Amino acid sequence: MQRCRPPDSTRPDHALRHSWALSRVRGAGHRRTRPRTLILAVLAEADGHLTADAVRERAVATSGMDPSTVYRTLALFERLQIVHTLTIGKRVTYGLADHPHAHTVCDGCARVTALRDAELGDLRTLVRRDLAGFAATGIVIRGRCAACRPAPDD
């Protein structure tokens, strides 16, 4: 049984994310092909970052897409700054770059969580003030999630 999530105004609308990405493809002078549209839909519906293999598995579930098409398309999207990458260990993950956000990465289970711009509070201000002239393209906070932290001694 699939769990239903209550509406959340902080979660982006999948259709808007997909539409934004498709407009970036067209705006850069590239065609809107079926594989590109499908890969963008997979990324828009994802709760976070996906590896290229995870994108391929989800895309293949609805079409017989060749794996090389997925890799070439993700590389194109990265060049066009439609997606950004996050390396976790030896795995490269992909997420839509449609809104300013940072990431937390658990060093235990490798779970990635996106922190939306509004959740960053003073962090962006500190980066702008203390690193004058530095143009941050992403912020990654590493540590251990609640499930991977050892229980405190009583």
Side-chain angles (χ1 to χ4, degrees):
M1 183 167 116
Q2 187 176 21
R3 291 187 339 179
C4 184
R5 290 190 179 145
D8 181 352
S9 62
T10 64
R11 291 183 48 80
D13 180 281
H14 299 308
L16 287 176
R17 297 182 80 204
H18 191 237
S19 176
W20 169 86
L22 285 172
S23 69
R24 291 288 304 260
V25 170
R26 295 289 295 154
H30 294 273
R31 293 181 307 132
R32 179 180 163 170
T33 64
R34 186 168 186 261
R36 290 174 184 164
T37 301
L38 181 58
I39 290 169
L40 288 174
V42 167
L43 291 168
E45 293 171 8
D47 285 331
H49 282 229
L50 298 173
T51 63
D53 288 337
V55 171
R56 183 182 52 77
E57 287 171 11
R58 293 178 187 197
V60 168
T62 56
S63 75
M65 192 179 303
D66 183 69
S68 64
T69 300
V70 174
Y71 294 108
R72 281 194 316 271
T73 302
L74 288 172
L76 171 67
F77 292 163
E78 186 177 8
R79 281 193 311 275
L80 297 177
Q81 297 180 342
I82 295 169
V83 301
H84 58 260
T85 61
L86 183 60
T87 303
I88 304 165
K90 294 182 181 181
R91 298 179 326 159
V92 176
T93 63
Y94 299 84
L96 282 184
D98 61 329
H99 61 280
H101 63 282
H103 300 95
T104 60
V105 178
C106 178
D107 291 328
C109 66
R111 180 176 183 200
V112 176
T113 304
L115 301 172
R116 298 193 59 78
D117 204 34
E119 298 171 312
L120 296 176
D122 294 328
L123 186 57
R124 289 207 185 270
T125 303
L126 290 171
V127 168
R128 283 188 206 110
R129 184 190 72 210
D130 296 341
L131 300 174
F134 184 80
T137 57
I139 298 171
V140 178
I141 302 168
R142 300 191 72 93
R144 293 207 176 257
C145 70
C148 292
R149 272 194 315 264
D153 294 334
D154 291 320

